[in-house]
Amino acid sequence: MGAAALAVLGGMPQLGMAIVVVVLLNGTFAFVQEHRADRAAQALRDLVPHRVTVVRDGRRQEVDAVDLVVGDRVLLEAGDRLAADLVLVEVHGLRLDEAMLTGESEPVDKAGGDTGSAGCFVVEGEGSAAVTAVGGDTRLAGIATLTGTVQRARSPLGRELDRVVRAITVLAVAVGLA
């Protein structure tokens, strides 16, 4: 915006307006991209259930998913969504839909000792599992983190804007000194 002001003061109002338009367009595109990344991260957070059935102190109880800790014994049945990364302990015809992590279109048969990841669905069967990772340590959280930290290369418009701003700044300073 400083370069636009200098261009107007230097007697080049058209150039100043062009710089303002490019800066506003660049800001709009950056805002839209940031908003989309936030929505994608929220969609990933919504994939984790809010309540989970666990066995604690020898009795079955329902707890908030955020209260899960590593080592908890989680009970699974058809229709459940996994709230943490797990190692299956006991299974009875258990099949998981892992499409969101692996891209597999078919549910996967699971056996004792296999793993399950947060966000995956129990398609059929039942079982129990020990929690191995919660919150930010899960595979799903790793994906969400990647979504928020991907650095995009500067667009051609952004690079050209930088070049124009540098040129106008040098020109304005030179005219000012002269």
Side-chain angles (χ1 to χ4, degrees):
M1 295 308 265
L6 289 174
V8 170
L9 291 175
M12 299 178 274
Q14 297 87 353
L15 183 59
M17 287 303 295
I19 292 171
V20 168
V21 168
V22 170
V23 167
L24 291 176
L25 282 173
N26 194 30
T28 301
F29 288 132
F31 173 79
V32 168
Q33 286 179 332
E34 185 71 26
H35 180 68
R36 291 170 108 185
D38 287 344
R39 282 193 358 222
Q42 181 61 42
L44 287 171
R45 282 190 293 273
D46 291 342
L47 290 176
V48 177
H50 300 291
R51 302 284 291 169
V52 181
T53 305
V54 298
V55 175
R56 286 187 178 162
D57 299 326
R59 62 184 177 94
R60 179 185 176 125
Q61 55 186 308
E62 211 172 278
V63 299
D64 289 331
V66 295
D67 293 333
L68 279 177
V69 294
V70 173
D72 268 345
R73 180 112 178 220
V74 177
L75 300 178
L76 305 170
E77 59 185 32
D80 287 348
R81 188 185 297 256
L82 305 186
D85 288 354
L86 313 164
V87 170
L88 300 168
V89 177
E90 183 181 325
V91 296
H92 303 285
L94 193 70
R95 298 183 75 203
L96 296 182
D97 178 355
E98 299 178 332
M100 62 178 276
L101 294 176
T102 65
E104 288 293 323
S105 60
E106 293 292 320
V108 178
D109 292 325
K110 293 293 184 170
D114 288 349
T115 61
S117 298
C120 295
F121 277 106
V122 177
V123 176
E124 63 182 67
E126 60 186 19
S128 65
V131 174
T132 58
V134 295
D137 296 330
T138 63
R139 287 178 63 193
L140 182 63
I143 293 170
T145 300
L146 287 175
T147 301
T149 60
V150 170
Q151 296 292 324
R152 297 192 187 273
R154 293 278 293 164
S155 68
L157 176 64
R159 288 192 303 269
E160 187 63 21
L161 177 61
D162 289 344
R163 189 185 69 74
V164 168
V165 167
R166 279 192 303 272
I168 290 174
T169 302
V170 168
L171 179 65
V173 169
V175 168
L177 290 175

